[in-house]
Amino acid sequence: MMYCINPECFIPLDANSRKYLKKNGIDVDNVPNGKQYLDLINLIKSKMSTGGIEEKTFMDLSYNSWNQETQKETNVKRWTYAAGENSRLWREFYKDGIMAIGWDGTGNLNGSDNKEDIRKKVVELYRYDPNASAKNDTTCLWQFANEMHIGDIIYVKHGKKQLFGRGVVGSDYYYDENRKEYRHCRKVKWTHKGEWNLNSTTSVKTLTDVTKYTGFWQEFEEAIQGKKIETSTSETQEKFLLNQILYGPPGTGKTYETKKLAVKICEALDLMV
């Protein structure tokens, strides 16, 4: 009821929201009473302020809870990836048919079912402030272990404006204790190896999901294959229609979609972070 009255300050506790909150380290097993619900809201606010939850507003949190749990991920994802610092391990990974990332001290991530577990490990391992978000490290580990899937396409980057390789993910995540370093691993079928210069600038982060930035990965494909890539209209262009009217009850994502559209029209800012 509180959510229906003011969706900007509260969150529904349906199955989708509970699953999403659990991924962020908040278990809601039983239906809370009024005081418990307000305590939960304050806990969520605290995690938002420290980066323990990526969303900064309750409306974004409500929308993402619905979106991630109800939308099936049927499309292949595309990732830019650094094979070690400045891709120093690229030749080794190509030879062994793997990709891997560091933060070995966190141990096997198969037992970590939410980002908060991983964040705590990273903070303890690298002696961050206990309240630090460790956002980039945590997100990289979480995405590598949980959001990447077999069949996804990997672009190995060197610096910000060069590619070294392309491959297709061939296994689920595993932790290889026999490796001296970079023990978080996946098998990869590397399809291309070389050096290709780019006009675009890639992210400095170890791992970035570029699936929705069609212009970026299309340039990667054209550089690697040496020819223009023909893709469907839905893949190659965004249609920004004027005078759109978004309607629906509170919490269905109208504000969120408007903000997202505005960012798309301006520029892909998060790729430059």
Side-chain angles (χ1 to χ4, degrees):
M1 181 63 71
M2 299 294 287
Y3 166 75
C4 295
I5 295 172
N6 192 349
E8 294 184 358
C9 297
F10 300 99
I11 186 174
L13 289 182
D14 57 8
N16 291 339
S17 296
R18 291 167 188 255
K19 289 180 183 178
Y20 196 72
L21 288 173
K22 186 174 183 178
K23 287 181 180 180
N24 287 279
I26 300 176
D27 286 326
V28 187
D29 295 326
N30 301 313
V31 178
N33 58 35
K35 182 181 182 303
Q36 291 170 335
Y37 179 75
L38 292 178
D39 289 342
L40 173 64
I41 293 300
N42 288 330
L43 175 59
I44 294 172
K45 286 180 180 179
S46 175
K47 284 185 172 290
M48 284 180 174
S49 66
T50 60
I53 293 178
E54 290 187 6
E55 293 80 8
K56 298 303 181 184
T57 70
F58 279 93
M59 292 188 72
D60 284 351
L61 182 61
S62 298
Y63 177 84
N64 289 343
S65 299
W66 167 80
N67 188 54
Q68 290 203 13
E69 296 299 336
T70 60
Q71 302 300 309
K72 294 181 180 179
E73 296 186 84
T74 57
N75 296 324
V76 169
K77 287 187 176 181
R78 297 170 186 265
W79 308 80
T80 57
Y81 160 70
E85 300 88 345
N86 211 28
S87 281
R88 65 180 174 84
L89 299 172
W90 164 234
R91 291 184 180 180
E92 174 190 339
F93 291 173
Y94 179 83
K95 176 178 175 292
D96 293 342
I98 66 169
M99 66 184 299
I101 59 176
W103 299 277
D104 297 339
T106 59
N108 194 330
L109 299 179
N110 279 320
S112 301
D113 60 358
N114 60 69
K115 287 184 181 180
E116 181 63 13
D117 287 348
I118 296 176
R119 188 194 70 83
K120 288 179 179 178
K121 290 180 180 180
V122 171
V123 167
E124 181 180 359
L125 180 64
Y126 295 99
R127 298 182 180 179
Y128 291 155
D129 183 299
N131 294 320
S133 67
K135 179 178 178 181
N136 286 346
D137 296 357
T138 301
T139 299
C140 179
L141 288 162
W142 174 262
Q143 289 182 328
F144 189 82
N146 296 280
E147 295 184 6
M148 185 176 287
H149 301 292
I150 295 173
D152 284 359
I153 296 174
I154 308 299
Y155 301 102
V156 180
K157 64 189 181 70
H158 175 234
K160 293 183 178 181
K161 298 182 75 69
Q162 191 176 51
L163 297 180
F164 272 0
R166 176 190 185 277
V168 179
V169 178
S171 79
D172 291 325
Y173 162 84
Y174 64 96
Y175 186 78
D176 188 350
E177 294 184 351
N178 294 320
R179 289 187 55 80
K180 293 182 179 179
E181 60 175 344
Y182 285 70
R183 295 177 174 179
H184 301 288
C185 302
R186 283 179 180 266
K187 296 289 185 182
V188 178
K189 179 181 179 181
W190 296 113
T191 59
H192 297 78
K193 179 184 179 184
E195 294 184 13
W196 300 276
N197 294 323
L198 303 171
N199 294 319
S200 301
T201 301
T202 62
S203 170
V204 298
K205 294 183 290 187
T206 299
L207 188 70
T208 304
D209 182 357
V210 297
T211 309
K212 63 181 179 181
Y213 301 104
T214 309
F216 282 88
W217 62 257
Q218 187 173 359
E219 180 189 346
F220 302 162
E221 290 290 342
E222 291 177 355
I224 291 170
Q225 298 189 32
K227 61 181 180 180
K228 188 170 182 61
I229 305 301
E230 297 294 335
T231 54
S232 65
T233 301
S234 62
E235 286 182 310
T236 57
Q237 65 181 9
E238 295 279 0
K239 293 185 177 181
F240 303 116
L241 302 178
L242 300 178
N243 302 319
Q244 295 184 69
I245 298 176
L246 303 182
Y247 63 93
T252 54
K254 299 186 296 297
T255 301
Y256 179 88
E257 289 296 333
T258 302
K259 291 178 180 178
K260 187 168 67 172
L261 180 60
V263 172
K264 282 185 177 180
I265 292 174
C266 294
E267 56 183 332
L269 291 176
D270 58 339
L271 280 180
M272 302 304 149
V273 176

